Amino acid sequence: DGTVRLWQTAIGRHLRLLEEHDKAVNAVIFHPQEEMFLTADASGIAYLWETEKAEKTDPDIPVVTYDNYKVAITDAAFNPEGDLVLTGDESGTAKLWATLTGDVVSTFSQDAAINAVAYSPDGTTIATGHADGNVYLWDVDSGDVLTTIAGHDNAVNAVSFSPDGATIVTAGADNTAQLWSIDGENLQTFTGHTDAVNSAVFSSDGMSVLTSSSDGTTLLWDIESGEITRTFDELNYPVHTALISPDEKTVVTGTEGRRRFYLLGTDGAGRDLATRLLVGGQVSLKIGFFSAIGSLSIGVVLGIAAGYWRGPFDDVVMWVITTLNSIPQLFLLLIISATLAPNDTSLILVLVFLGWTGATRLVRGETFSLREREFVMAARAVGASPLRIMFTHISPNVLSVLLIVLSRGIGNLILAESSLSFLGFGVKPPTPTWGNMLTGGLELLRNAPHLVFAPGLLISITVLCLYVIGDGLRDAFDPKLSG
């Protein structure tokens, strides 16, 4: 779609979105020093970018623009020193450009479109793979053709030099990959695929070749024997590209895969937004519900005890409540959250620790009124113990208060969790919560505002619904309001 995304490898975090291209991006390659990278598109434009901007707020402006005059660039490669960049295009022309000026240094032309280009490790030779099945090796200095290889019956999709530069491997739409000497001698033909071979690369030691195909398989070959040593099956989904790590322990494949429909699109990391909203809602509601239950449990016990017994116990409880309420709760939440492990359990404990004061004061006030009622005095007259009176006669009569406290408490605690996660002190990604999804969406607010609005809207609707449910339950259970 013309966009280029820069990702942080370790955690898969989206860093930058580049939207300078008007058409499909066909090639992305890093400079040998990795300070810059190049992108090339189907409109014939290539851009050189800095990998890291001096300031995060600086606009994304390419360092150099390479204009191929509206002829689609199909592939690109840097020379080993990084001062030259090689591009191949649909007209059959390969061009060498000065990396930092964008000037054309050399041109190499044939009739058929170029699908792949490669630079030799010593920087003296380039290879171009063409749609007519031919591969040409060119001398960089003179621009002359050194070798012509006509080994494929159909288009050449990929070409790669061995680490020592003595051989090349080519991948063709004729279902084969072939190994060649620099002089054009066929050394090995790999015929294990049943559909077009889309990529072929050497291992770091030059002893193996990795090929990927539209038949859904990626094969690792031993060069000397020509035998398959490992098969990676993608279940018939075409594999367009494959790479093998330098230590040869990991293979990465890029497949066409299934066509997926995302109801709300994806986030910056390509994850289904609707699914993350549902899972994030479970986490946020769990934190809100269990925090409210914990706070309410403490509040009921302390509130009824303080309201019934009064005296020194009541004074101590109210002193603690006054002290905690005199400190801004968000400040306390930030301090305590910063000292604990950032997960949902620790967040629930923090919210319970600071959330019981409101419930305690409400239950205490209600108990003040109930302890002087006739049914309480009657129970006291017949010898009922204080505990029996508090939890058999008083607690059922504060039910309406508890319901409204619970419903509004869940809503308030969801807001508190969202605030902490938004500030980076709550549950950490990749575990989704509505709060940390808000934070993650801010980076893409201008291009994808729904990443912020969707979790924000769900928080608002959920809190509003909890308030309405609480009011309804209070009206239903309170005799004074039902009649």
Side-chain angles (χ1 to χ4, degrees):
D1 61 359
T3 60
V4 177
R5 288 177 167 84
L6 203 63
W7 305 84
Q8 189 172 357
T9 306
I11 60 175
R13 182 171 175 264
H14 180 265
L15 298 177
R16 289 164 64 191
L17 176 67
L18 308 178
E19 300 179 291
E20 197 74 17
H21 291 283
D22 295 326
K23 291 190 176 181
V25 177
N26 293 332
V28 178
I29 55 171
F30 271 99
H31 189 271
Q33 279 73 50
E34 298 187 1
E35 298 170 351
M36 297 176 288
F37 63 96
L38 180 130
T39 60
D41 68 21
S43 69
I45 297 293
Y47 296 112
L48 185 69
W49 307 85
E50 290 180 329
T51 304
E52 294 185 6
K53 297 187 291 184
E55 298 290 339
K56 290 185 178 180
T57 56
D58 290 347
D60 286 306
I61 300 175
V63 178
V64 181
T65 299
Y66 311 87
D67 190 350
N68 201 43
Y69 301 104
K70 298 184 179 180
V71 180
I73 298 174
T74 54
D75 199 10
F78 282 106
N79 72 336
E81 292 76 23
D83 59 338
L84 296 174
V85 61
L86 172 68
T87 63
D89 64 36
E90 287 187 343
S91 71
T93 300
K95 293 180 181 178
L96 274 181
W97 311 73
T99 300
L100 296 180
T101 65
D103 297 328
V104 177
V105 177
S106 302
T107 301
F108 313 87
S109 296
Q110 291 293 334
D111 294 331
I114 295 176
N115 292 335
V117 297
Y119 236 113
S120 65
D122 61 8
T124 61
T125 307
I126 64 170
T128 57
H130 295 256
D132 61 0
N134 290 332
V135 176
Y136 298 93
L137 300 183
W138 308 77
D139 181 75
V140 172
D141 293 330
S142 67
D144 295 333
V145 175
L146 299 175
T147 307
T148 300
I149 299 172
H152 290 280
D153 298 330
N154 212 323
V156 175
N157 293 327
V159 58
S160 177
F161 280 93
S162 62
D164 61 5
T167 57
I168 64 169
V169 63
T170 59
D174 58 359
N175 307 348
T176 68
Q178 300 186 39
L179 183 71
W180 307 86
S181 70
I182 295 300
D183 297 329
E185 180 186 357
N186 184 275
L187 304 176
Q188 193 68 260
T189 299
F190 309 103
T191 57
H193 293 288
T194 59
D195 206 338
V197 182
N198 297 318
S199 71
V201 293
F202 284 94
S203 61
S204 59
D205 61 5
M207 302 300 293
S208 303
V209 167
L210 184 73
T211 61
S212 65
S213 169
S214 295
D215 64 9
T217 61
T218 299
L219 305 178
L220 187 64
W221 305 80
D222 177 71
I223 288 179
E224 185 175 352
S225 66
E227 299 293 328
I228 299 171
T229 59
R230 188 64 57 87
T231 299
F232 309 91
D233 195 344
E234 295 290 348
L235 302 177
N236 298 322
Y237 294 110
V239 184
H240 294 293
T241 186
L243 294 173
I244 185 169
S245 63
D247 60 7
E248 301 182 26
K249 293 181 179 180
T250 306
V251 168
V252 180
T253 61
T255 67
E256 183 174 309
R258 295 177 289 243
R259 298 287 182 181
R260 292 179 177 145
F261 171 73
Y262 300 105
L263 182 63
L264 298 177
T266 60
D267 64 5
R271 298 169 296 196
D272 183 12
L273 180 61
T275 300
R276 286 181 60 78
L277 285 171
L278 292 174
V279 176
Q282 292 176 5
V283 177
S284 295
L285 287 170
K286 180 182 78 171
I287 292 172
F289 179 78
F290 285 108
S291 300
I293 290 294
S295 301
L296 196 60
S297 300
I298 297 173
V300 168
V301 173
L302 292 180
I304 292 178
Y308 185 81
W309 275 322
R310 297 187 179 180
F313 182 78
D314 181 41
D315 292 339
V316 172
V317 171
M318 291 308 298
W319 177 82
V320 173
I321 291 174
T322 303
T323 302
L324 287 176
N325 287 344
S326 66
I327 306 173
Q329 280 210 347
L330 185 58
F331 179 69
L332 277 177
L333 284 170
L334 292 176
I335 293 175
I336 299 173
S337 298
T339 61
L340 298 176
N343 55 51
D344 50 358
T345 303
S346 63
L347 191 54
I348 289 172
L349 294 176
V350 170
L351 294 174
V352 168
F353 175 74
L354 296 176
W356 61 271
T357 58
T360 302
R361 296 184 66 174
L362 285 172
V363 174
R364 172 180 172 271
E366 193 74 10
T367 304
F368 275 166
S369 172
L370 292 171
R371 74 187 299 274
E372 304 299 335
R373 299 282 291 274
E374 291 81 359
F375 66 89
V376 174
M377 288 189 290
R380 194 181 298 124
V382 298
S385 67
L387 290 178
R388 181 178 177 84
I389 292 172
M390 284 189 287
F391 295 104
T392 302
H393 298 284
I394 293 179
S395 61
N397 286 279
V398 297
L399 179 61
S400 62
V401 176
L402 298 182
L403 289 173
I404 190 67
V405 169
L406 178 63
S407 59
R408 292 190 174 181
I410 294 174
N412 290 334
L413 290 167
I414 288 175
L415 289 175
E417 177 277 323
S418 300
S419 300
L420 286 174
S421 296
F422 181 78
L423 294 172
F425 290 90
V427 179
K428 300 294 184 184
T431 302
T433 69
W434 288 337
N436 63 32
M437 290 180 70
L438 274 172
T439 306
L442 282 179
E443 298 178 359
L444 300 172
L445 179 60
R446 197 174 83 178
N447 298 311
H450 66 288
L451 297 180
V452 173
F453 293 149
L457 182 62
L458 287 179
I459 291 172
S460 303
I461 292 174
T462 302
V463 173
L464 176 62
C465 289
L466 288 168
Y467 275 42
V468 171
I469 290 171
D471 286 340
L473 290 173
R474 183 192 62 178
D475 295 344
F477 283 98
D478 194 332
K480 293 178 290 186
L481 299 174
S482 61

